[in-house]
Amino acid sequence: MTIAAEARPTTQPEQSWLVRLFDYKPFLIFICLLPALGLLLVFLSYPLGLGIWLAFTDTRIGRSGYFIGFENFESLWHDPVFITSVWNTLLYTGVATIGKFGLGLWLALLLNNNLPFKSLLRALILVPWIVPTVLSAIAFWWIYDPQFSIISYVLVDVLGWRDTYIDFLGSPWPARWSLIAANVWRGIPFVAISLLAGLQTISPALYEAAMLDGANAWQRFRHVTLPMLMPILAIVLTFSVLFTFTDFQLVYAITRGGPINSTHLMATLAFQRGIPGGQLGEGAAIAVAMIPFLVMATLFSYFALARRKWQQGEDND
């Protein structure tokens, strides 16, 4: 005789609202992002908002200001030093970025080959990027010195190609080109190592297929290397433009905007007007005037990446 036991339904205890809340995925994501959002709010959003507010006031060091609308920007529009700093910034950014990318890409292609002591060479290339900017600036300050310049010494005393020493920083245009050369030297490692990382992701099978089709070295670079590098090129270009456009330490440590304010960038002029000059409102206005240029550089990178969707298996629109 068998006795059939009736199955008793098991009821799970009802979860509390706190458990259900932490099981809710959007809330859990928000909680995980909260520390990062707090840091961004404190160290990015608040200073940015404060700087934009100060740009519309006549605040000075030691005195609170009043809202004056666009008067700071109208004053800057008629300020020849500010106009010069804008052109200097565009020239500095454009020429230095081209130089860094040309030399950096060449160096990356060179290091992508099988060279002896390749690991050591990669480490040595990073030295200009690792060295603090102020130390680099002091080194270039000595290189450009009108009396003790090593370049002038070689050209005058060793090679005899000149009769007088070069005054690199004594006149506007030589000072501008000297600063660009210093920035190119410092920025090449970042571009070279970043592009080298991109080169190593390209499959050797693509080059072998191109060689079987009869492609020479230039055709392999144009039709294989360059298209495959385009996403990393766009990202590195964006960061390079942002770093160069907002450069402050190198320029201020070498020339402090001289001679006669001819090498000021927007960043150095904003500091000079805002901190030593005490005009916080005007300095903030110069800094805010940099934002449209930075936004345009970021949008350029975004649309350059958007045109390469085919590398992710999508159609190229």
Side-chain angles (χ1 to χ4, degrees):
M1 180 177 181
T2 60
I3 301 175
E6 295 182 357
R8 298 180 180 178
T10 59
T11 59
Q12 296 181 352
E14 185 179 355
Q15 295 179 341
S16 65
W17 65 271
L18 189 59
V19 174
R20 292 197 304 271
L21 183 62
F22 276 91
D23 283 340
Y24 185 53
K25 188 175 181 180
F27 177 77
L28 192 59
I29 294 174
F30 174 76
I31 290 296
C32 293
L33 290 177
L34 194 58
L37 293 175
L39 291 175
L40 289 176
L41 181 64
V42 173
F43 295 107
L44 182 64
S45 300
Y46 173 73
L48 178 62
L50 180 61
I52 294 175
W53 164 252
L54 290 176
F56 294 94
T57 66
D58 60 350
T59 305
R60 295 176 179 269
I61 291 180
R63 178 179 68 82
S64 60
Y66 299 95
F67 181 80
I68 58 174
F70 290 92
E71 289 186 17
N72 285 329
F73 297 96
E74 294 173 359
S75 174
L76 292 175
W77 183 256
H78 301 286
D79 185 352
V81 177
F82 172 73
I83 300 300
T84 301
S85 73
V86 174
W87 286 112
N88 285 343
T89 305
L90 295 176
L91 174 71
Y92 183 79
T93 303
V95 177
T97 301
I98 293 173
K100 285 185 285 189
F101 262 78
L103 296 173
L105 180 58
W106 171 77
L107 199 57
L109 292 171
L110 186 64
L111 292 175
N112 198 40
N113 298 320
N114 292 322
L115 298 175
F117 307 106
K118 183 167 60 175
S119 300
L120 178 62
L121 291 175
R122 292 178 181 176
L124 291 176
I125 286 172
L126 280 174
V127 170
W129 181 256
I130 296 172
V131 172
T133 307
V134 175
L135 294 182
S136 302
I138 293 174
F140 275 100
W141 197 21
W142 171 70
I143 292 173
Y144 295 148
D145 188 270
Q147 295 182 352
F148 305 104
S149 169
I150 185 63
I151 299 177
S152 297
Y153 171 76
V154 171
L155 294 178
V156 176
D157 297 332
V158 177
L159 300 177
W161 291 355
R162 288 179 58 92
D163 297 328
T164 59
Y165 278 22
I166 305 172
D167 189 4
F168 290 96
L169 306 178
S171 53
W173 278 107
R176 292 185 182 112
W177 293 117
S178 299
L179 290 175
I180 290 173
N183 183 270
V184 169
W185 176 85
R186 179 165 175 76
I188 285 176
F190 169 73
V191 177
I193 296 301
S194 300
L195 296 184
L196 178 61
L199 285 172
Q200 293 183 341
T201 64
I202 302 176
S203 174
L206 297 176
Y207 293 107
E208 295 173 1
M211 292 177 66
L212 290 175
D213 289 338
N216 56 32
W218 167 249
Q219 290 172 333
R220 292 196 300 271
F221 172 78
R222 180 183 176 186
H223 298 290
V224 178
T225 304
L226 197 58
M228 298 300 293
L229 268 184
M230 192 57 65
I232 189 69
L233 274 172
I235 295 174
V236 175
L237 176 64
T238 301
F239 279 104
S240 179
V241 169
L242 295 180
F243 292 156
T244 309
F245 194 90
T246 58
D247 192 11
F248 169 80
Q249 297 181 64
L250 196 66
V251 176
Y252 198 79
I254 295 177
T255 66
R256 295 186 181 271
I260 320 174
N261 295 321
S262 60
T263 60
H264 263 308
L265 304 184
M266 296 177 71
T268 59
L269 184 62
F271 173 81
Q272 186 188 64
R273 295 284 178 86
I275 305 303
Q279 300 175 355
L280 290 178
E282 187 174 348
I286 298 174
V288 169
M290 299 169 63
I291 295 178
F293 297 98
L294 302 177
V295 170
M296 285 189 293
T298 305
L299 291 177
F300 172 81
S301 171
Y302 172 78
F303 288 113
L305 284 174
R307 293 185 59 83
R308 292 293 169 180
K309 292 180 180 178
W310 59 270
Q311 289 191 306
Q312 301 175 357
E314 301 178 19
D315 294 332
N316 185 15
D317 40 41

